[in-house]
Amino acid sequence: MIYTFWDEFFWYWYSNGFEKVFNIFWYFFLLEAPRFLLMDFVILFVYFRRRDVLRSTKMNARRDFLMENPVVSVIAPGKNEGKHIYKLVNSLNEQTYRNIQIVIVDDGSDDDTYTICKSLHENGYIDVFLRNDDRGGKASAANLALRYATGKFVVHLDADSSFDASAIENIIIPFYMDKEVGAVGGNIKVRNYEKNICTSLQAIEYLQTISVGRMVTSYLGIYKIISGAFGAFRKDIIDRIGGWDIGPGLDGDITVKIRKMGYKIEFEHTAVGLTNVPEKFKILSKQRLRWNKSLIRFRLRKHKDVFYPHASFNFSNFFALFENVFFNLVLDLIWFFYIINIIIVNVDFLAFIIPLKIMLYGVASLLQFIVVLIISERWRQEIKLIIFIPLMMLYNGYYMRIIRTMAYIKEVFFLSSYKDPWNPAKSSIKAQEHGL
């Protein structure tokens, strides 16, 4: 009888039993599956159980919101966003909620952003248009816009985004559902997901980590970062904080500040915005290196006080940041030792281990994607992404993990976020001087 590879593969695992599977893939079963898969289904179950009650509460909150009809200031700082700005402004002018003040800041662009925004302002599509001739950085531009914002609420957007017609209305409603809510994060999805493999993988990542992942952390009370691409804030709270500090990582920084003031942070998955993501892995790598440095700079340096017991200690704030640090930093370090150990101890059986690893993570990614489709408002479009699910193990498990680890090393040993050209050098120098 001639035995094929798959005959040997199945016999190897059958003869060794589940104990062998568990001993080799303990990292998946004990750490990753409970947090990134089981919790998704638990929250999905809770969401559907509470859906009718939640719908009634939302209806009442929407009525109160529309009766008050407050001004909502939408601010969008950006540099060289000429090719995107019209789509953004057009989507804002098509919102179901009409009492919106649109404030655009051109932060030292050298493309046609100024010309386009000036024309939109003159024709009444933009309420306030401001320009920094000398680039000050995203935080500086956002704070300039804040000075001209007259609304009860401030919605911060990225200038390369566009929004579903009900997005602004939906992101404000949670403030009327609970008076203790200080900020609300919107649901960001990828607009250019059909461009190539790079954008398609990011689209799946956004669906899993934002659309579902942030719903999970919001339900658990540990939601800790409102994306700068789409987030709403009570203006009185932003004014008390003093606006945004210099980034990168300013989105998570301001979210933690609001949490530390005692306010709740919520995620609203029905408030949907679309953004363009990098179309090349080289550009994506630079973006994620910048994003991930913020975990060290803000979580472990600037806001390290949340880990210390003191008079204003708050367990939910502690756990929110601890969960972030544990699953992104500590587990990354453990993972490298785990992989090295598997290779050394089981080197003769890697031909059987690797296919099973691909199967386990492939099934897990597929199940996560099913959760995404169940709650998505545009699942008929997003289901096309299912063909890229098998690649998510390589994308999340290896590529993104290596990028994160490189970012942590650069920030821990070289404080490289202060040298990032994303901010003007003068701003980064001042930020480092003041420990921001």
Side-chain angles (χ1 to χ4, degrees):
M1 178 180 290
I2 299 175
Y3 289 98
T4 66
F5 166 78
W6 291 110
D7 291 328
E8 296 179 3
F9 170 82
F10 287 113
W11 174 251
Y12 174 79
W13 291 112
Y14 175 77
S15 61
N16 282 284
F18 179 75
E19 183 178 351
K20 179 73 171 179
V21 176
F22 184 84
N23 287 338
I24 291 179
F25 296 106
W26 62 266
Y27 188 93
F28 171 80
F29 289 112
L30 293 180
L31 299 173
E32 294 185 311
R35 170 62 184 85
F36 300 110
L37 183 60
L38 179 61
M39 192 58 67
D40 287 0
F41 280 95
V42 169
I43 297 303
L44 182 67
F45 174 77
V46 172
Y47 169 73
F48 279 104
R49 282 292 301 271
R50 294 182 54 197
R51 186 169 53 175
D52 291 338
V53 174
L54 189 63
R55 184 184 293 117
S56 175
T57 305
K58 275 192 173 183
M59 287 178 59
N60 293 333
R62 181 177 183 273
R63 180 198 62 214
D64 294 342
F65 167 46
L66 296 179
M67 286 182 63
E68 182 181 344
N69 194 39
V71 174
V72 176
S73 294
V74 178
I75 66 174
K79 179 180 185 293
N80 291 341
E81 299 290 358
K83 63 182 179 180
H84 299 129
I85 204 71
Y86 176 77
K87 186 171 289 186
L88 167 66
V89 172
N90 188 55
S91 72
L92 293 176
N93 279 284
E94 292 178 347
Q95 290 295 304
T96 55
Y97 187 70
R98 306 303 301 168
N99 199 8
I100 297 175
Q101 178 200 28
I102 302 175
V103 183
I104 307 292
V105 179
D106 173 14
D107 190 32
S109 297
D110 52 23
D111 66 350
D112 56 358
T113 298
Y114 173 78
T115 304
I116 294 172
C117 287
K118 189 171 183 294
S119 174
L120 290 170
H121 180 240
E122 290 173 348
N123 286 281
Y125 294 100
I126 295 174
D127 297 295
V128 179
F129 173 54
L130 307 164
R131 174 175 167 83
N132 289 327
D133 291 325
D134 186 17
R135 183 169 76 100
K138 188 173 182 179
S140 173
N143 290 331
L144 175 61
L146 189 63
R147 288 165 51 190
Y148 289 83
T150 61
K152 179 178 180 179
F153 303 99
V154 173
V155 178
H156 184 291
L157 312 175
D158 276 353
D160 64 349
S161 303
S162 58
F163 299 87
D164 286 2
S166 60
I168 300 299
E169 178 178 321
N170 288 343
I171 203 171
I172 300 298
I173 287 175
F175 291 104
Y176 289 82
M177 296 173 66
D178 186 343
K179 300 302 181 183
E180 296 301 311
V181 171
V184 180
N187 190 359
I188 300 297
K189 299 190 175 188
V190 174
R191 183 166 56 205
N192 56 335
Y193 69 94
E194 293 183 303
K195 185 70 175 179
N196 53 37
I197 290 178
C198 183
T199 61
S200 295
L201 293 176
Q202 289 174 81
I204 297 173
E205 178 194 18
Y206 274 50
L207 290 170
Q208 291 176 341
T209 61
I210 297 180
S211 297
V212 176
R214 292 184 181 177
M215 179 186 288
V216 170
T217 54
S218 183
Y219 266 85
L220 294 175
I222 59 172
Y223 179 32
K224 69 274 181 185
I225 179 168
I226 290 180
S227 173
F230 190 20
F233 308 85
R234 276 176 40 183
K235 187 172 186 297
D236 62 319
I237 295 176
I238 295 293
D239 288 339
R240 285 167 59 191
I241 290 173
W244 285 265
D245 282 347
I246 295 169
L250 67 166
D251 307 336
D253 176 46
I254 199 167
T255 308
V256 174
K257 284 183 178 181
I258 296 171
R259 288 187 64 100
K260 288 164 75 172
M261 292 174 67
Y263 290 100
K264 296 179 182 178
I265 308 295
E266 299 289 342
F267 174 75
E268 181 50 58
H269 79 279
T270 65
V272 180
L274 303 175
T275 189
N276 283 337
V277 295
E279 297 177 359
K280 297 180 179 178
F281 283 104
K282 182 178 180 180
I283 299 173
L284 174 60
S285 297
K286 290 181 179 179
Q287 180 198 67
R288 296 311 176 86
L289 280 170
R290 183 176 71 246
W291 286 8
N292 285 292
K293 290 171 188 174
S294 67
L295 182 141
I296 304 297
R297 178 167 167 178
F298 292 106
R299 303 288 195 270
L300 295 184
R301 289 199 193 116
K302 186 174 182 179
H303 294 294
K304 61 184 178 181
D305 59 310
V306 302
F307 298 109
Y308 304 149
H310 50 80
S312 57
F313 178 82
N314 182 291
F315 181 78
S316 67
N317 288 341
F318 164 82
F319 191 71
L321 269 68
F322 174 80
E323 186 264 354
N324 189 213
V325 172
F326 180 75
F327 281 97
N328 289 284
L329 174 60
V330 176
L331 287 195
D332 271 9
L333 297 176
I334 293 174
W335 180 86
F336 281 102
F337 289 104
Y338 162 73
I339 290 295
I340 292 170
N341 180 68
I342 284 182
I343 294 172
I344 293 174
V345 175
N346 301 280
V347 65
D348 295 331
F349 304 103
L350 290 179
F352 299 136
I353 293 172
I354 292 173
L356 185 57
K357 180 180 174 67
I358 292 172
M359 291 179 190
L360 282 174
Y361 281 87
V363 170
S365 291
L366 180 61
L367 291 173
Q368 280 186 297
F369 193 66
I370 289 172
V371 174
V372 167
L373 296 178
I374 289 173
I375 66 172
S376 179
E377 78 294 335
R378 40 171 54 85
W379 65 270
R380 288 182 177 84
Q381 300 172 31
E382 292 161 353
I383 198 171
K384 300 173 186 176
L385 294 167
I386 200 169
I387 62 173
F388 297 100
I389 291 295
L391 297 177
M392 290 305 292
M393 186 193 77
L394 297 176
Y395 178 81
N396 281 327
Y398 294 91
Y399 171 66
M400 280 299 166
R401 200 185 301 272
I402 291 170
I403 293 294
R404 286 198 302 269
T405 304
M406 289 173 59
Y408 303 152
I409 292 171
K410 286 175 175 286
E411 187 62 22
V412 167
F413 295 105
F414 305 105
L415 302 176
S416 62
S417 66
Y418 294 104
K419 305 176 184 69
D420 197 306
W422 186 78
N423 266 329
K426 60 182 181 181
S427 300
S428 293
I429 291 171
K430 289 294 183 183
Q432 190 168 5
E433 288 177 356
H434 294 283
L436 300 176

